[in-house]
Amino acid sequence: MKLWLLRHGEAEPHARTDAERELTRHGRKEVRQAAAHLAGRPLPTILCSPYVRARQTAELLAAFLDGAPKLVVVDWLTPDSDPRQALDRLAERGEDDLLLASHQPFLGALAGLLVHGHLQDPLPMQTASLAELDGELPLAGAMYLRALHHPGHRP
């Protein structure tokens, strides 16, 4: 399984609620830079947080990619979600290639759990950082970090 973890692009600092914050112009640019790292790769499904900035990130990414990936909004990809519960949700999925568009601190903790098997060493994820993980199954300590791309770094 190939699992991609994408943190949303830069969002506006204020909105009525945190969930309603939208991407800035710079954040959209960051997402396009991240999308360049995925060009030509099969990506049938993108799971994203219900928060506006993560949905916008997923939509921008899907528009950039070939094959029109299916976008699925799930409630277990918010900033405060439990990475251990996310492992259970991922185990229920059948895709060989899957991308999650979400937030910190959740994504960093999830990546750390998948790679190291514990939550004490989260992966640093800037806005629009993209992590590529590879492994047989999405289990704690069973995946390998193949690449970590940060905005501004070209493929």
Side-chain angles (χ1 to χ4, degrees):
M1 172 185 209
K2 177 123 4 217
L3 182 64
W4 299 89
L5 306 178
L6 176 62
R7 184 176 176 199
H8 63 80
E10 178 187 81
E12 58 189 12
H14 303 288
R16 197 167 51 87
T17 67
D18 183 44
E20 296 177 58
R21 292 172 47 217
E22 296 190 18
L23 292 179
T24 63
R25 181 178 302 146
H26 178 70
R28 292 176 182 280
K29 178 181 175 184
E30 289 177 323
V31 173
R32 286 190 294 274
Q33 289 174 346
H37 293 284
L38 295 166
R41 297 181 189 266
L43 195 56
T45 307
I46 298 173
L47 302 182
C48 72
S49 161
Y51 287 30
V52 170
R53 60 191 179 272
R55 286 195 335 260
Q56 290 175 327
T57 295
E59 290 164 359
L60 280 169
L61 185 65
F64 182 84
L65 298 174
D66 296 332
K70 178 180 164 186
L71 293 180
V72 180
V73 177
V74 295
D75 62 359
W76 49 271
L77 287 178
T78 66
D80 299 320
S81 293
D82 185 338
R84 294 167 294 218
Q85 291 177 354
L87 291 185
D88 294 336
R89 304 292 182 138
L90 289 172
E92 297 168 358
R93 311 268 334 162
E95 297 93 348
D96 289 332
D97 296 285
L98 182 63
L99 185 134
L100 308 182
S102 188
H103 315 265
Q104 279 295 72
F106 170 77
L107 280 180
L110 177 62
L113 181 59
L114 287 164
V115 173
H116 305 296
H118 55 76
L119 296 170
Q120 287 74 34
D121 195 10
L123 196 65
M125 301 280 289
Q126 302 171 15
T127 55
S129 285
L130 176 68
E132 176 186 355
L133 288 81
D134 203 3
E136 290 287 320
L137 295 168
L139 301 173
M143 298 198 83
Y144 298 94
L145 179 63
R146 297 292 180 209
L148 178 58
H149 306 285
H150 297 294
H153 296 95
R154 294 285 180 199

